Amino acid sequence: MPEIRILTDRVANQIAAGEVVERPAAVAKELIENSLDAGAHKIEIEFRNGGKSYLRVEDDGSGMTADQALLSLERHATSKIRKASDLNEVQTFGFRGEALPSISSVSRFLLRTRTKKGQEGNEIFLNGGKMIHVKDCGMPVGTRIEVSHLFNSVPGRRKFLKTEATESTHIIHLAKLYALAHPQIEFSLIESGRTIFRSPVCKDTQERVREIFGKGLADVLAPITNRTDHLSLHGLVGKPGQSRSTRKEMLFFVNRRPVESKTITYAVLEAYHTYAPKGRFPPAILFLTINPELVDVNVHPAKREIRFRDEFKVRSFLIESLLARNKELAYHTQESAPEIQRELDRETGLMVPQIDSNAQEVYKNDQDAKNPISLNPQSTREPGVGSNLLTPQESKDSSGTTDGRYAKRIGARDSTNTIWRFLDRPHGDLAVFSSIDGIIYFHARAAYERVRFEQLEDTFQDTKNSDSQSLLFPESLELDGIDQKNLSQSLAALRLVGFELEEFGRNFFRVEGCPQWIDPGETIRFLKDFLEIARESGGGMNPERFAKEALVKKATNEHSYQKVFSDDEVIRLAETLLKCRNPYNCPKGKPTFYEIPRRDIENRFRRNL
Ligand code: ADP
Ligand code: MG
């Protein structure tokens, strides 16, 4: 029988290294986090060969004394926690005391460090966990760690490393994440002597985004903030109509730590449900701050994945915050439409949009010229847009008020007093308008779907708590165990949205009524679809979300839109669309219209119009 032995520290560290630092980016992460924990104001990261042959992280933080430096390489040596209960309130990134011993056991590891009080710096050099030397060295205050030949002594691990390009990508991504989360710290990243980014101290995240991702991304993002007693959120979200084909720009942080969290991802996708097309992802850089006691960061050895104690609360907080922000952003046309120049109005002393002489006509008698294209719902949106948006009666006073205070916003070819003037319908659902600032391309079907969706949504909101309609003949629903459990769980919520159903007997339900916004004949099918999705998502289906889904379906499937819209109908549609909460996207998130600004057209012709 083989003899039982206790592993030497060196072997134990090498084994642990496999978990803590499975790749160069993980080494970079541990070192950057240590620098942050040490209160650095400046962090420089350099690597070569995907970090496999060389990686350096240098900071101007607290540094370590000679004794501390030696101790930091011992297993379970940490200055950050003392007792297990401290774990519940860790404020630092590290606390396990495993990173340095692990990294130094599988590389050539050169540590140089100096504290403010220290006359000299200290240098420690290890190779594969073996101490080679300890000596004094010249060094500014701070710490500099160089890791070379990672995993050379453990060929088994080295084999698992990916190509240089892949490992580089990981390091770059990681460095960007930490730089994003800490705009108040100067960050530089250098690959083989080439600077990838060098960002000075920034005033906020948006400025940091501009520094490291470029103006392109920074310009399509808008800030978001919200807080409740236990949670606070800040960050940047895509303006309406912004979406990406990958999740690369969905970046989440909890207590400034970059995280992967299904809860957050799900919440974002849900909130953008009708703002971004299916299969596309909204850019969102979100920082959630939460009492550390309510997060479990200790799930994953590399602390990547986190778990919230109260997933539900976090999810609803995020969804509410994002939805509210989306709505606000959708109202603020100025942010996505071309900039409007303003000038002082002599008569009133107010700032008004600057009107070029060609457009004077448009505003001549318009008392509302102070803010002519404001889509602000408070000023123009009627309570409950009429349900029959294409009937002529509805269009008569669709300008919002009857006293003519608002100029007709959308007009026919020969009209003058308008914001958009209809020009033509060159192909199918495409309509073209001229606007004050350019040319509008308008998709009639997309617009119809958005208008219809919001009408249905309004009906849904209005009737949510009470109004149901009775089925002519009550129907019964027979379910298996899982469906029965899921339905029982959602019963209260389904009743809230207008279903009348009762459990009678084992696995049987009796359905007597349905909400106003669905056809009674579709009730059973709706409930069955609902249960199928609930089953797929492990029972966690929220009926309200499902109801929204159903509204989208209904708005996009209605037969009536198959018809060809007449010119007049297109004009009225545009009129109604502009009063929508989110006029920019159809319910599936695709654009309803876009504007080619006049200055773009002028650029193309390289002369003024
Ligand atoms: P942990 O971060 O979990 O405490 P590490 O192995 O990463 O464990 O680091 C061990 C200790 O070394 C830390 O607790 C800290 O006291 C010290 N240390 C590591 N890196 C630095 C640094 N860049 N500046 C100052 N002290 C450091
Ligand atoms: Mg650490």
Side-chain angles (χ1 to χ4, degrees):
M1 178 158 165
E3 198 185 330
I4 300 181
R5 265 174 300 218
I6 293 190
L7 296 176
T8 62
D9 274 358
R10 189 164 156 245
V11 176
N13 284 334
Q14 288 177 338
I15 293 171
E19 283 176 28
V20 184
V21 291
E22 80 272 273
R23 63 178 353 151
V27 175
K29 168 180 180 290
E30 292 295 338
L31 300 181
I32 295 170
E33 288 190 347
N34 281 344
S35 297
L36 292 167
D37 286 343
H41 295 102
K42 188 171 160 184
I43 300 179
E44 190 168 282
I45 306 144
E46 184 184 354
F47 68 96
R48 287 199 287 270
N49 198 231
K52 293 191 246 187
S53 60
Y54 180 79
L55 175 70
R56 167 176 68 91
V57 174
E58 186 163 351
D59 66 56
D60 64 352
S62 65
M64 289 176 268
T65 62
D67 288 349
Q68 285 169 338
L70 279 169
L71 199 58
S72 74
L73 300 167
E74 295 293 329
R75 207 158 154 67
H76 305 308
T78 177
S79 54
K80 300 167 193 175
I81 57 167
R82 282 169 199 283
K83 48 190 195 304
S85 59
D86 292 349
L87 263 183
N88 293 333
E89 43 206 83
V90 252
Q91 300 281 357
T92 52
F93 287 104
F95 53 78
R96 289 159 174 267
E98 270 181 343
L100 296 191
S102 301
I103 299 167
S104 61
S105 73
V106 292
S107 65
R108 285 164 72 93
F109 184 92
L110 182 64
L111 164 73
R112 286 179 172 173
T113 184
R114 192 186 128 197
T115 60
K116 222 174 0 316
K117 289 203 184 120
Q119 298 291 328
E120 292 265 13
N122 298 290
E123 177 176 303
I124 304 179
F125 183 43
L126 284 86
N127 190 2
K130 277 200 209 120
M131 184 74 74
I132 308 289
H133 69 237
V134 179
K135 60 181 189 192
D136 291 348
C137 67
M139 167 80 197
V141 174
T143 302
R144 166 189 176 131
I145 292 180
E146 290 168 275
V147 175
S148 31
H149 306 301
L150 186 63
F151 293 133
N152 256 9
S153 49
V154 215
R157 295 250 24 119
R158 200 172 169 84
K159 225 171 46 203
F160 283 104
L161 295 180
K162 300 278 186 302
T163 61
E164 183 179 325
T166 308
E167 298 298 345
S168 296
T169 313
H170 282 285
I171 297 179
I172 295 169
H173 179 67
L174 180 105
K176 285 183 173 173
L177 287 179
Y178 279 89
L180 263 184
H182 302 275
Q184 78 289 0
I185 295 174
E186 184 179 327
F187 263 90
S188 321
L189 178 66
I190 302 152
E191 178 180 16
S192 312
R194 183 176 66 100
T195 302
I196 300 197
F197 66 82
R198 184 177 293 279
S199 170
V201 172
C202 292
K203 73 173 193 302
D204 55 23
T205 319
Q206 198 151 14
E207 197 174 304
R208 189 41 67 85
V209 170
R210 189 167 296 128
E211 287 282 335
I212 60 180
F213 290 97
K215 195 168 168 324
L217 181 61
D219 285 354
V220 301
L221 296 174
I224 177 171
T225 53
N226 195 17
R227 61 164 59 239
T228 62
D229 294 348
H230 302 291
L231 287 165
S232 98
L233 172 73
H234 79 273
L236 299 164
V237 291
K239 293 177 184 173
Q242 291 297 325
S243 65
R244 301 285 185 270
S245 59
T246 70
R247 289 172 195 235
K248 267 208 324 260
E249 284 159 11
M250 284 172 77
L251 306 172
F252 308 135
F253 302 80
V254 171
N255 297 340
R256 302 242 158 215
R257 189 194 287 283
V259 295
E260 278 161 30
S261 153
K262 290 203 180 91
T263 309
I264 306 182
T265 311
Y266 180 85
V268 172
L269 293 178
E270 171 139 352
Y272 273 85
H273 188 224
T274 69
Y275 288 84
K278 232 196 180 108
R280 292 189 56 92
F281 305 97
I285 301 174
L286 300 178
F287 297 89
L288 191 66
T289 311
I290 180 170
N291 181 342
E293 285 186 29
L294 303 176
V295 197
D296 195 354
V297 290
N298 214 0
V299 192
H300 189 277
K303 304 183 213 94
R304 249 194 328 254
E305 233 178 82
I306 52 150
R307 212 174 283 151
F308 298 105
R309 299 265 144 90
D310 190 343
E311 303 270 323
F312 179 76
K313 223 190 228 142
V314 173
R315 186 154 84 193
S316 358
F317 169 71
L318 287 171
I319 294 176
E320 274 165 33
S321 315
L322 289 162
L323 277 178
R325 188 63 178 136
N326 274 346
K327 285 196 174 153
E328 264 168 31
L329 289 171
Y331 290 144
H332 285 281
T333 52
Q334 283 87 338
E335 287 186 353
S336 50
E339 237 174 76
I340 299 172
Q341 301 292 327
R342 288 175 186 270
E343 64 185 4
L344 189 73
D345 181 285
R346 289 218 189 86
E347 272 172 38
T348 58
L350 294 172
M351 292 303 282
V352 297
Q354 194 181 57
I355 298 164
D356 70 288
S357 50
N358 297 339
Q360 284 291 8
E361 265 302 281
V362 173
Y363 294 107
K364 215 158 48 193
N365 302 313
D366 186 359
Q367 294 168 25
D368 196 43
K370 264 119 231 138
N371 195 4
I373 67 165
S374 157
L375 299 184
N376 188 333
Q378 268 82 43
S379 63
T380 59
R381 192 162 190 273
E382 300 151 86
V385 182
S387 61
N388 238 338
L389 67 116
L390 293 177
T391 59
Q393 308 90 288
E394 208 270 326
S395 75
K396 270 196 188 122
D397 62 8
S398 59
S399 54
T401 51
T402 42
D403 62 4
R405 196 162 65 83
Y406 292 98
K408 224 173 141 29
R409 301 154 62 85
I410 316 286
R413 279 194 191 83
D414 51 359
S415 61
T416 48
N417 201 15
T418 52
I419 308 303
W420 286 8
R421 188 160 60 85
F422 176 78
L423 296 180
D424 200 3
R425 299 184 35 246
H427 306 284
D429 284 317
L430 174 69
V432 185
F433 292 84
S434 73
S435 67
I436 302 151
D437 253 336
I439 300 286
I440 307 278
Y441 288 88
F442 179 90
H443 197 289
R445 184 169 310 202
Y448 180 86
E449 289 173 2
R450 164 54 63 182
V451 167
R452 211 37 211 132
F453 172 71
E454 293 204 3
Q455 287 172 346
L456 289 168
E457 212 179 29
D458 287 347
T459 325
F460 172 71
Q461 292 297 346
D462 293 346
T463 60
K464 197 165 124 191
N465 295 309
S466 51
D467 285 7
S468 336
Q469 48 182 333
S470 299
L471 302 189
L472 206 50
F473 304 105
E475 303 225 33
S476 63
L477 202 57
E478 188 186 354
L479 305 173
D480 66 11
I482 298 174
D483 285 349
Q484 121 87 29
K485 188 172 136 268
N486 288 339
L487 190 59
S488 305
Q489 264 175 12
S490 310
L491 213 54
L494 282 165
R495 287 192 180 129
L496 207 66
V497 302
F499 286 95
E500 286 174 13
L501 70 177
E502 215 72 60
E503 190 166 3
F504 83 105
R506 211 175 138 67
N507 295 354
F508 271 96
F509 281 81
R510 188 182 161 86
V511 188
E512 297 191 332
C514 68
Q516 297 284 356
W517 45 266
I518 66 173
D519 279 344
E522 286 173 12
T523 311
I524 295 295
R525 200 168 47 148
F526 180 96
L527 290 170
K528 285 195 173 150
D529 285 355
F530 173 75
L531 288 170
E532 201 179 302
I533 295 182
R535 183 188 284 249
E536 273 167 22
S537 58
M541 186 68 195
N542 153 1
E544 214 167 303
R545 157 139 203 226
F546 188 75
K548 278 251 161 83
E549 190 99 44
L551 296 186
V552 173
K553 241 197 215 151
K554 199 163 154 64
T556 51
N557 280 346
E558 278 178 353
H559 299 304
S560 43
Y561 79 71
Q562 299 294 0
K563 72 198 224 36
V564 177
F565 298 101
S566 71
D567 289 2
D568 276 356
E569 284 171 340
V570 167
I571 292 168
R572 285 196 294 275
L573 199 50
E575 185 102 40
T576 321
L577 178 75
L578 292 191
K579 291 176 202 149
C580 280
R581 287 181 282 275
N582 172 11
Y584 300 101
N585 304 109
C586 79
K588 289 186 172 160
K590 294 184 220 161
T592 46
F593 69 86
Y594 65 92
E595 181 168 28
I596 310 249
R598 188 196 176 107
R599 54 164 196 273
D600 282 11
I601 301 172
E602 289 177 335
N603 281 345
R604 288 202 167 248
F605 286 111
R606 301 200 195 132
R607 49 165 83 201
N608 292 337
L609 291 180

